[in-house]
Amino acid sequence: MKQKNQLPFSQRNGLSEIPPQLGMGEISPQLRKQLNYYAQLEVDRNTVRGPYFAYFGKEWDRFTKDVVVLHLDRDVSEHVNRKEKWQEIFQQIFLTDTYYTVFDFVEFILGHKNYSNL
């Protein structure tokens, strides 16, 4: 099993290049994909299947409302409790937003009062 700090075989043996260190203000595409992946896993884990659409249970409904109001600075009436909508929101933040928006959101999640329950 590959250890976290170990380079892949091809990089250790000079068969492929070692990625350069990121500059200030950059976030790697790989990290973006991984953050989005874990967000999508949490969306799936917290989804309740309804007869017409998938939605979130109590804890994630509250969390997503907090995202809308406290992080995105929008009115609570803009909140939508649907899996598909939140998949799109997380994808937007993690894959296409600026690096500082990504890190602002990560800080928001880590500082959220229910973080340990998410």
Side-chain angles (χ1 to χ4, degrees):
M1 179 175 219
K2 181 179 163 185
Q3 294 180 3
K4 290 182 180 182
N5 295 333
Q6 184 178 344
L7 293 173
F9 173 86
S10 60
Q11 291 175 349
R12 284 194 321 271
N13 292 287
L15 302 171
S16 64
E17 289 186 30
I18 296 174
Q21 184 174 356
L22 292 174
M24 192 69 159
E26 295 178 359
I27 183 170
S28 72
Q30 181 182 11
L31 178 57
R32 286 180 176 276
K33 287 185 255 181
Q34 289 175 353
L35 289 169
N36 184 56
Y37 171 70
Y38 286 112
Q40 300 302 334
L41 288 177
E42 287 302 305
V43 166
D44 288 341
R45 188 172 72 86
N46 289 282
T47 296
V48 176
R49 306 274 180 229
Y52 302 107
F53 59 88
Y55 61 95
F56 297 131
K58 182 180 176 183
E59 285 181 8
W60 255 62
D61 182 54
R62 174 61 190 267
F63 170 70
T64 55
K65 282 180 182 173
D66 287 351
V67 170
V68 168
V69 175
L70 304 175
H71 181 70
L72 299 177
D73 197 28
R74 298 182 183 156
D75 190 79
V76 71
S77 65
E78 295 183 44
H79 176 261
V80 177
N81 185 2
R82 291 202 178 181
K83 173 185 177 178
E84 296 79 15
K85 179 65 175 171
W86 283 95
Q87 286 174 315
E88 291 173 14
I89 291 170
F90 291 140
Q91 190 170 18
Q92 163 77 39
I93 291 170
F94 290 123
L95 297 181
T96 62
D97 279 1
T98 62
Y99 79 95
Y100 54 86
T101 302
V102 171
F103 289 122
D104 284 349
F105 189 55
V106 169
E107 279 187 342
F108 174 81
I109 293 169
L110 295 175
H112 192 270
K113 65 181 178 164
N114 290 333
Y115 169 68
S116 63
N117 295 330
L118 300 176

PDB file of all heavy atoms in Angstrom, residues 2-14:
ATOM      1  N   LYS A   2       0.547   2.220  -0.816  1.00  0.00           N
ATOM      2  CA  LYS A   2       1.322   3.440  -0.955  1.00  0.00           C
ATOM      3  C   LYS A   2       1.170   4.312   0.298  1.00  0.00           C
ATOM      4  O   LYS A   2       0.070   4.572   0.757  1.00  0.00           O
ATOM      5  CB  LYS A   2       0.838   4.204  -2.181  1.00  0.00           C
ATOM      6  CG  LYS A   2       1.581   5.483  -2.434  1.00  0.00           C
ATOM      7  CD  LYS A   2       1.038   6.154  -3.674  1.00  0.00           C
ATOM      8  CE  LYS A   2       1.450   7.587  -3.716  1.00  0.00           C
ATOM      9  NZ  LYS A   2       0.864   8.309  -4.810  1.00  0.00           N
ATOM     10  N   GLN A   3       2.309   4.762   0.824  1.00  0.00           N
ATOM     11  CA  GLN A   3       2.279   5.670   1.956  1.00  0.00           C
ATOM     12  C   GLN A   3       2.033   7.077   1.445  1.00  0.00           C
ATOM     13  O   GLN A   3       2.381   7.419   0.320  1.00  0.00           O
ATOM     14  CB  GLN A   3       3.585   5.593   2.727  1.00  0.00           C
ATOM     15  CG  GLN A   3       3.799   4.249   3.379  1.00  0.00           C
ATOM     16  CD  GLN A   3       5.118   4.215   4.144  1.00  0.00           C
ATOM     17  OE1 GLN A   3       5.835   5.191   4.229  1.00  0.00           O
ATOM     18  NE2 GLN A   3       5.420   3.057   4.699  1.00  0.00           N
ATOM     19  N   LYS A   4       1.470   7.919   2.290  1.00  0.00           N
ATOM     20  CA  LYS A   4       1.094   9.273   1.881  1.00  0.00           C
ATOM     21  C   LYS A   4       2.272  10.097   1.367  1.00  0.00           C
ATOM     22  O   LYS A   4       2.139  10.854   0.438  1.00  0.00           O
ATOM     23  CB  LYS A   4       0.421  10.007   3.036  1.00  0.00           C
ATOM     24  CG  LYS A   4      -0.943   9.477   3.356  1.00  0.00           C
ATOM     25  CD  LYS A   4      -1.586  10.272   4.466  1.00  0.00           C
ATOM     26  CE  LYS A   4      -2.951   9.707   4.772  1.00  0.00           C
ATOM     27  NZ  LYS A   4      -3.643  10.441   5.793  1.00  0.00           N
ATOM     28  N   ASN A   5       3.452   9.955   1.963  1.00  0.00           N
ATOM     29  CA  ASN A   5       4.603  10.780   1.591  1.00  0.00           C
ATOM     30  C   ASN A   5       5.467  10.145   0.506  1.00  0.00           C
ATOM     31  O   ASN A   5       6.470  10.707   0.115  1.00  0.00           O
ATOM     32  CB  ASN A   5       5.454  11.078   2.826  1.00  0.00           C
ATOM     33  CG  ASN A   5       4.706  11.927   3.830  1.00  0.00           C
ATOM     34  OD1 ASN A   5       3.818  12.678   3.472  1.00  0.00           O
ATOM     35  ND2 ASN A   5       5.061  11.791   5.091  1.00  0.00           N
ATOM     36  N   GLN A   6       5.107   8.995   0.037  1.00  0.00           N
ATOM     37  CA  GLN A   6       5.922   8.280  -0.936  1.00  0.00           C
ATOM     38  C   GLN A   6       5.544   8.686  -2.353  1.00  0.00           C
ATOM     39  O   GLN A   6       4.368   8.744  -2.712  1.00  0.00           O
ATOM     40  CB  GLN A   6       5.731   6.776  -0.756  1.00  0.00           C
ATOM     41  CG  GLN A   6       6.616   5.961  -1.663  1.00  0.00           C
ATOM     42  CD  GLN A   6       6.439   4.465  -1.422  1.00  0.00           C
ATOM     43  OE1 GLN A   6       5.899   4.060  -0.416  1.00  0.00           O
ATOM     44  NE2 GLN A   6       6.882   3.676  -2.365  1.00  0.00           N
ATOM     45  N   LEU A   7       6.550   8.945  -3.163  1.00  0.00           N
ATOM     46  CA  LEU A   7       6.320   9.249  -4.571  1.00  0.00           C
ATOM     47  C   LEU A   7       5.932   7.977  -5.310  1.00  0.00           C
ATOM     48  O   LEU A   7       6.390   6.887  -4.960  1.00  0.00           O
ATOM     49  CB  LEU A   7       7.584   9.827  -5.207  1.00  0.00           C
ATOM     50  CG  LEU A   7       8.044  11.199  -4.737  1.00  0.00           C
ATOM     51  CD1 LEU A   7       9.402  11.522  -5.351  1.00  0.00           C
ATOM     52  CD2 LEU A   7       7.036  12.261  -5.091  1.00  0.00           C
ATOM     53  N   PRO A   8       5.152   8.099  -6.386  1.00  0.00           N
ATOM     54  CA  PRO A   8       4.846   6.920  -7.200  1.00  0.00           C
ATOM     55  C   PRO A   8       6.123   6.346  -7.825  1.00  0.00           C
ATOM     56  O   PRO A   8       7.123   7.045  -7.998  1.00  0.00           O
ATOM     57  CB  PRO A   8       3.917   7.463  -8.286  1.00  0.00           C
ATOM     58  CG  PRO A   8       3.439   8.772  -7.799  1.00  0.00           C
ATOM     59  CD  PRO A   8       4.468   9.283  -6.848  1.00  0.00           C
ATOM     60  N   PHE A   9       6.087   5.093  -8.174  1.00  0.00           N
ATOM     61  CA  PHE A   9       7.213   4.380  -8.782  1.00  0.00           C
ATOM     62  C   PHE A   9       7.835   5.180  -9.918  1.00  0.00           C
ATOM     63  O   PHE A   9       9.049   5.348  -9.992  1.00  0.00           O
ATOM     64  CB  PHE A   9       6.734   3.010  -9.276  1.00  0.00           C
ATOM     65  CG  PHE A   9       7.761   2.271 -10.072  1.00  0.00           C
ATOM     66  CD1 PHE A   9       8.717   1.485  -9.436  1.00  0.00           C
ATOM     67  CD2 PHE A   9       7.785   2.353 -11.460  1.00  0.00           C
ATOM     68  CE1 PHE A   9       9.681   0.801 -10.164  1.00  0.00           C
ATOM     69  CE2 PHE A   9       8.742   1.677 -12.202  1.00  0.00           C
ATOM     70  CZ  PHE A   9       9.694   0.901 -11.555  1.00  0.00           C
ATOM     71  N   SER A  10       7.008   5.667 -10.823  1.00  0.00           N
ATOM     72  CA  SER A  10       7.517   6.349 -12.012  1.00  0.00           C
ATOM     73  C   SER A  10       8.296   7.617 -11.654  1.00  0.00           C
ATOM     74  O   SER A  10       9.299   7.934 -12.292  1.00  0.00           O
ATOM     75  CB  SER A  10       6.376   6.679 -12.973  1.00  0.00           C
ATOM     76  OG  SER A  10       5.432   7.527 -12.339  1.00  0.00           O
ATOM     77  N   GLN A  11       7.873   8.337 -10.620  1.00  0.00           N
ATOM     78  CA  GLN A  11       8.587   9.548 -10.217  1.00  0.00           C
ATOM     79  C   GLN A  11       9.858   9.207  -9.435  1.00  0.00           C
ATOM     80  O   GLN A  11      10.892   9.861  -9.604  1.00  0.00           O
ATOM     81  CB  GLN A  11       7.670  10.454  -9.396  1.00  0.00           C
ATOM     82  CG  GLN A  11       6.563  11.063 -10.218  1.00  0.00           C
ATOM     83  CD  GLN A  11       5.586  11.875  -9.387  1.00  0.00           C
ATOM     84  OE1 GLN A  11       5.596  11.831  -8.165  1.00  0.00           O
ATOM     85  NE2 GLN A  11       4.722  12.618 -10.066  1.00  0.00           N
ATOM     86  N   ARG A  12       9.808   8.180  -8.590  1.00  0.00           N
ATOM     87  CA  ARG A  12      10.990   7.768  -7.827  1.00  0.00           C
ATOM     88  C   ARG A  12      12.116   7.311  -8.757  1.00  0.00           C
ATOM     89  O   ARG A  12      13.288   7.462  -8.448  1.00  0.00           O
ATOM     90  CB  ARG A  12      10.645   6.613  -6.880  1.00  0.00           C
ATOM     91  CG  ARG A  12       9.884   7.000  -5.660  1.00  0.00           C
ATOM     92  CD  ARG A  12       9.859   5.884  -4.609  1.00  0.00           C
ATOM     93  NE  ARG A  12       9.708   4.536  -5.104  1.00  0.00           N
ATOM     94  CZ  ARG A  12       8.544   3.923  -5.306  1.00  0.00           C
ATOM     95  NH1 ARG A  12       7.405   4.559  -5.069  1.00  0.00           N
ATOM     96  NH2 ARG A  12       8.499   2.683  -5.733  1.00  0.00           N
ATOM     97  N   ASN A  13      11.756   6.739  -9.882  1.00  0.00           N
ATOM     98  CA  ASN A  13      12.743   6.186 -10.796  1.00  0.00           C
ATOM     99  C   ASN A  13      13.034   7.074 -12.003  1.00  0.00           C
ATOM    100  O   ASN A  13      13.649   6.632 -12.973  1.00  0.00           O
ATOM    101  CB  ASN A  13      12.293   4.788 -11.247  1.00  0.00           C
ATOM    102  CG  ASN A  13      12.347   3.817 -10.086  1.00  0.00           C
ATOM    103  OD1 ASN A  13      13.425   3.424  -9.666  1.00  0.00           O
ATOM    104  ND2 ASN A  13      11.194   3.469  -9.532  1.00  0.00           N
ATOM    105  N   GLY A  14      12.575   8.310 -11.963  1.00  0.00           N
ATOM    106  CA  GLY A  14      12.888   9.273 -13.021  1.00  0.00           C
ATOM    107  C   GLY A  14      12.194   9.014 -14.336  1.00  0.00           C
ATOM    108  O   GLY A  14      12.604   9.518 -15.376  1.00  0.00           O
TER     109      GLY A  14
END
